[in-house]
Amino acid sequence: MSPPGRPKDEFRSANHGGCLMCTEKVVHDENAKLDFSQDMSYSDYLHLDAVLNAQHPRSPDHNEMLFIVQHQTSELWMK
C-alpha cells in the first residue's frame, strides 16, 4: 500500500518493491543474524516453564485463573 498522495509505482520503485536482493543487502549491511538454531529457545529465554506453572487456583472456577493471571501480569508490569 502506498502512502497517501504518492503513486503506487513511485512508492514501489523508491522501496525497490521489497526485492530479495534489497533484503539481502540490508541483512549484510546491518550484519543481521538470521540463524538462531544454536541459541537459547524462546521458551528458555522467557522462562516459560516457571511462568506457566506459577498459577495455583484454589477452585475450578475459570474466573479465579483469570484473576490470578491478570494480577500476576500487573505485578510483572509494575515491577
Side-chain angles (χ1 to χ4, degrees), residues 29-50:
D29 291 350
E30 299 291 328
N31 197 23
K33 183 174 182 176
L34 301 179
D35 182 11
F36 295 92
S37 63
Q38 300 299 315
D39 294 330
M40 184 182 297
S41 74
Y42 173 83
S43 179
D44 290 342
Y45 178 70
L46 296 177
H47 300 278
L48 290 183
D49 286 340

Side-chain angles (χ1 to χ4, degrees), residues 52-79:
L52 296 175
N53 290 309
Q55 298 76 37
H56 303 285
R58 295 178 179 223
S59 75
D61 189 342
H62 75 279
N63 288 321
E64 183 180 6
M65 181 63 90
L66 294 174
F67 175 86
I68 292 169
V69 170
Q70 175 59 50
H71 286 265
Q72 286 177 332
T73 304
S74 296
E75 293 295 330
L76 288 168
W77 189 260
M78 295 300 172
K79 181 182 175 184

